[in-house]
Amino acid sequence: MSAGANAVIVRETLQGLLEALLAEGYRTLGPTLREDAIVYDDVTHVSELPAGWTDSQEAGHYHLQRREDDAWFGFNVGPHSWKRFLHPPLEPLWGARRNGDGFKITVPAPGPKLAFIGVRACELRAIAIQDRVFLGGRYSDDTYRARRISTFIVAVNCAQASGTCFCVSMGSGPKAAAGFDLSLTELLGADRATFLVEVGSEAGARMLQRIASRPPTEAELAAARAVLDRTAERMGRRLDTTRLRELLREQAEHPRWDGIAERCLACGNCTMVCPTCFCTSVEDHSSLEGTAAERVRAWDSCFTLDFSYLHGGSVRHSTRARYRHWLTHKLSYWIDQFGTGGCVGCGRCITWCPVGIDITEEATALRAPGRAKKQGDAS
Amino acid sequence: MDRRPRLAVWKFASCDGCQLSLLDCEDELLAVADALEIASFPEASSAVAAGPYDLSLVEGSITTAHDAERIREVRRQSRHLVTIGACATAGGVQALRNFASIGELVAAVYPSPQYIETLATSTPIAAHVAVDFELRGCPINKTQLLEVIGAFLAGRKPAVAAYSVCIECKRRGTVCVMVQGVPCLGPLTHAGCGALCPAYRRGCYGCYGPMETPNVPALAQRWQALGAPAKRFEHALRSFNAAAQGFQRE
């Protein structure tokens, strides 16, 4: 089978796929219940999937709910993104140990290759965006590259949209279009649940051959299309992106930024949950004896004061300047920098903002004319 | 002659918990004792050597005229002075007196109040003398304490961040309790504990005091929306770091 080919598997056959991946040395990661949420963690058996659970999401709110059916993937993206595996929150870069008159450098051994189960369309787009950030330029990130090229991706097409979803506005979903090895659409038939499988790569085709599948019927293909059509119609949020890139460049003095700064906690949650935010800081640690040192890279945020600390102080001192930087980067000059937008419409920054600040609402408000820039109007 | 930097540990109004964090560094204690001459640490040894000292760790707040004088002498004897814990950096839980009348409190607590000699306020060390570094927490985190000592020995800046607890929560993969309905002080609170309480599904208690740019009114409003009225929010802020400027409600 080649890319674009379809097949149908009985739902329980997904266990065979997990076992085939484990047999090839993959660490299999997928959605599972923890801390009253659906998070991404190690999943080696389909019984660990959140069968029969869904989530209810609004600005600053996330709650689990029981479903009326037993769908395995009947929920939307949660607090975690795949970023935490491809671009880990804390990553030792290298260590050094004193050795006579010199020192010896040690580099951490790479971890096992990863298999992601249940990657949504917006998340595929986010991974593609981070690929561009880490691998696209003149200098690429070796540890990211090593993890990324060996990762096997099983996508899942969304059968519902949450209250904070807006992938349709950002052109990133709900259908998994590219960047996967296999993609699944869960079909909850009256008598038996199945997955419609789409092959996305040669590696995906090889893996599909190791489990039992059959060709799809016309009715099954139509049912899968209907699932995606229904999801696309039910987006919880909308963002008008027409001329947004150009418009935001002109809104640096809009009064709306002051209003946001009154509500914004500058806590950094939005940047941590964003699947494309990639910023880090690098810390050096030394042992008490002065014989060993370690350099660690950690997720950082443009909402911290230290992040923009240059000689003598922080460049973006006010919360207004920091939020403005984040939103404008995400929706406007990310395009200048990387050739793609920085937002995929996953809605995480809206759901996981402790005070429920909504990027779609703010971007809409910023479309309205602001005040004219006054003389000597500092940020 | 011993050329190791000389360490002294001092106690003011406090519970001793922070200086005990140094003794709690069981695996690293020998390395600390190798790298530094522990010249004065009465909690650990009655053998106290005279100053001056290269590094003084100061625990506790200033609550008496005698201590206000004593801290000046400690400063004079110390090349570097680092405060450890909420008492020394913010006045501690005993700074609740700053919001009340000391005369009434003393009368309510002691049968013979005439014998009590105390100041009307509990104030941090930095209100009295210059401080080289303030390590937050109630109690302090021993990994951060070792980082501060290691940085001092290597002559570098300690890697101690002033951002919110939220960043620590997200790094460790903890699901936000506040978005799930639990009032939490994490977005206002200085990182350092490793986001301990939310990892056990509790809201943050603010033990590390205010983060670098705390937005108190915005969080107060959210607590209210979560069913925690203004009084409860105020009580939550009035604990170990009650007198910290960043936890005031204006």
Side-chain angles (χ1 to χ4, degrees):
Chain A
M1 265 190 278
S2 56
N6 288 117
V8 167
I9 61 170
V10 173
R11 194 165 64 171
E12 285 67 25
T13 309
L14 187 61
Q15 182 59 32
L17 180 64
L18 282 174
E19 281 162 17
L21 289 164
L22 289 164
E24 292 204 5
Y26 284 98
R27 178 183 171 199
T28 50
L29 297 155
T32 193
L33 289 178
R34 203 181 76 203
E35 298 171 47
D36 302 315
I38 296 165
V39 301
Y40 295 148
D41 208 338
D42 291 276
V43 167
T44 57
H45 196 276
V46 292
S47 61
E48 296 165 279
L49 296 171
W53 287 96
T54 192
D55 48 47
S56 156
Q57 302 191 36
E58 257 312 319
H61 293 284
Y62 177 99
H63 295 284
L64 283 186
Q65 287 174 351
R66 285 307 282 193
R67 291 178 62 88
E68 286 174 7
D69 56 36
D70 76 332
W72 289 3
F73 292 96
F75 51 87
N76 290 102
V77 295
H80 290 173
S81 74
W82 304 101
K83 173 170 93 170
R84 66 180 306 105
F85 303 105
L86 290 173
H87 174 48
L90 286 172
E91 181 169 31
L93 297 176
W94 53 272
R97 185 160 278 283
R98 213 183 273 283
N99 185 5
D101 288 339
F103 57 90
K104 189 175 182 301
I105 298 224
T106 51
V107 177
K113 53 187 181 176
L114 306 173
F116 297 163
I117 314 298
V119 182
R120 306 308 176 110
C122 59
E123 301 184 304
L124 292 171
R125 173 69 66 85
I127 292 170
I129 289 171
Q130 288 214 324
D131 286 352
R132 176 72 190 78
V133 170
F134 289 120
L135 307 176
R138 202 165 146 197
Y139 305 101
S140 70
D141 189 300
D142 290 342
T143 54
Y144 180 89
R145 180 191 299 278
R147 282 188 290 266
R148 182 67 184 92
I149 57 175
S150 62
T151 299
F152 189 90
I153 293 183
V154 180
V156 165
N157 283 316
C158 288
Q160 63 171 50
S162 89
T164 56
C165 283
F166 58 105
C167 64
V168 168
S169 297
M170 304 316 290
S172 61
K175 186 178 183 342
F180 56 85
D181 295 297
L182 293 172
S183 130
L184 311 175
T185 308
E186 190 171 16
L187 299 173
L188 300 169
D191 46 340
R192 187 159 220 195
T194 57
F195 289 117
L196 176 75
V197 186
E198 185 183 332
V199 174
S201 72
E202 280 180 31
R206 273 198 306 278
M207 208 47 87
L208 184 59
Q209 277 168 3
R210 300 180 54 168
I211 54 174
S213 70
R214 61 166 172 81
T217 64
E218 270 309 316
E220 284 164 332
L221 290 169
R225 280 194 299 272
V227 164
L228 283 164
D229 288 345
R230 201 176 57 227
T231 304
E233 282 165 17
R234 295 184 180 181
M235 290 287 122
R237 292 284 196 281
R238 216 183 133 261
L239 180 64
D240 180 4
T241 58
T242 322
R243 282 199 74 249
L244 193 57
R245 174 193 185 185
E246 296 77 15
L247 206 90
L248 284 171
R249 283 188 199 142
E250 295 150 18
Q251 300 293 43
E253 302 303 326
H254 200 287
R256 184 78 184 186
W257 302 118
D258 296 313
I260 300 167
E262 279 179 24
R263 287 172 281 140
C264 177
L265 300 165
C267 58
N269 274 305
C270 48
T271 58
M272 299 281 125
V273 295
C274 176
T276 69
C277 273
F278 55 82
C279 288
T280 52
S281 59
V282 170
E283 287 178 2
D284 288 334
H285 298 281
S286 51
S287 69
L288 291 166
E289 305 89 339
T291 53
E294 187 186 35
R295 176 161 289 186
V296 180
R297 182 166 71 181
W299 283 359
D300 202 348
S301 169
C302 51
F303 281 88
T304 74
L305 269 184
D306 270 354
F307 185 78
S308 70
Y309 188 94
L310 301 180
H311 176 77
S314 290
V315 175
R316 288 184 286 271
H317 198 79
S318 66
T319 299
R320 171 185 189 269
R322 282 179 262 163
Y323 188 89
R324 181 177 65 188
H325 164 77
W326 177 73
L327 184 139
T328 312
H329 186 209
K330 193 76 32 190
L331 297 176
S332 178
Y333 75 87
W334 195 298
I335 307 169
D336 308 333
Q337 196 180 3
F338 298 114
T340 69
C343 176
V344 299
C346 72
R348 284 186 182 88
C349 61
I350 307 173
T351 299
W352 298 98
C353 173
V355 291
I357 295 175
D358 179 345
I359 190 172
T360 65
E361 191 186 323
E362 301 309 332
T364 304
L366 287 161
R367 281 186 168 278
R371 65 179 167 180
K373 190 176 177 178
K374 286 182 288 195
Q375 281 282 308
D377 196 4
S379 52
Chain B
M1 186 185 145
D2 194 344
R3 290 181 184 277
R4 291 173 301 166
R6 308 185 78 224
L7 174 77
V9 183
W10 306 94
K11 174 186 161 61
F12 288 83
S14 59
C15 78
D16 290 35
C18 289
Q19 51 173 315
L20 285 176
S21 301
L22 184 56
L23 288 179
D24 281 343
C25 298
E26 290 162 0
D27 294 339
E28 301 87 359
L29 200 53
L30 289 176
V32 172
D34 274 348
L36 293 155
E37 178 198 343
I38 300 178
S40 174
F41 187 5
E43 187 86 52
S45 167
S46 52
V48 171
Y53 310 100
D54 295 292
L55 176 63
S56 275
L57 300 177
V58 178
E59 176 196 272
S61 69
I62 303 299
T63 55
T64 64
H66 171 251
D67 277 355
E69 198 42 57
R70 190 162 63 97
I71 189 61
R72 288 193 195 93
E73 183 53 29
V74 169
R75 178 70 264 191
R76 274 193 287 275
Q77 297 278 339
S78 311
R79 195 153 65 86
H80 295 272
L81 191 156
V82 171
T83 60
I84 54 170
C87 298
T89 58
V93 72
Q94 60 274 26
L96 284 171
R97 69 168 70 174
N98 302 8
F99 304 93
S101 149
I102 190 67
E104 286 173 25
L105 286 176
V106 169
V109 173
Y110 298 98
S112 307
Q114 67 272 25
Y115 298 117
I116 302 297
E117 267 184 33
T118 186
L119 298 174
T121 55
S122 168
T123 44
I125 301 302
H128 300 265
V129 296
V131 171
D132 297 297
F133 190 80
E134 293 183 309
L135 187 62
R136 314 283 206 93
C138 184
I140 54 167
N141 172 325
K142 74 168 193 180
T143 309
Q144 285 201 322
L145 178 62
L146 289 168
E147 166 63 18
V148 170
I149 295 173
F152 163 78
L153 289 168
R156 62 176 173 82
K157 196 180 156 195
V160 173
Y163 47 60
S164 70
V165 167
C166 301
I167 290 186
E168 295 191 311
C169 255
K170 288 294 182 285
R171 282 185 187 159
R172 68 184 283 174
T174 300
V175 179
C176 181
V177 296
M178 187 143 155
V179 166
Q180 294 173 302
V182 178
C184 176
L185 287 180
L188 291 187
T189 302
H190 195 288
C193 62
L196 209 53
C197 293
Y200 294 91
R201 316 298 295 142
R202 302 293 297 262
C204 168
Y205 290 89
C207 305
Y208 279 60
M211 52 87 94
E212 55 193 9
T213 55
N215 187 345
V216 175
L219 195 71
Q221 208 167 8
R222 194 57 171 189
W223 271 50
Q224 193 129 26
L226 291 173
K231 202 73 197 160
R232 197 175 140 201
F233 181 69
E234 191 179 299
H235 280 157
L237 288 181
R238 293 224 170 145
S239 62
F240 327 108
N241 292 281
Q245 189 60 39
F247 273 179
Q248 307 308 310
R249 278 219 60 182
E250 64 281 330

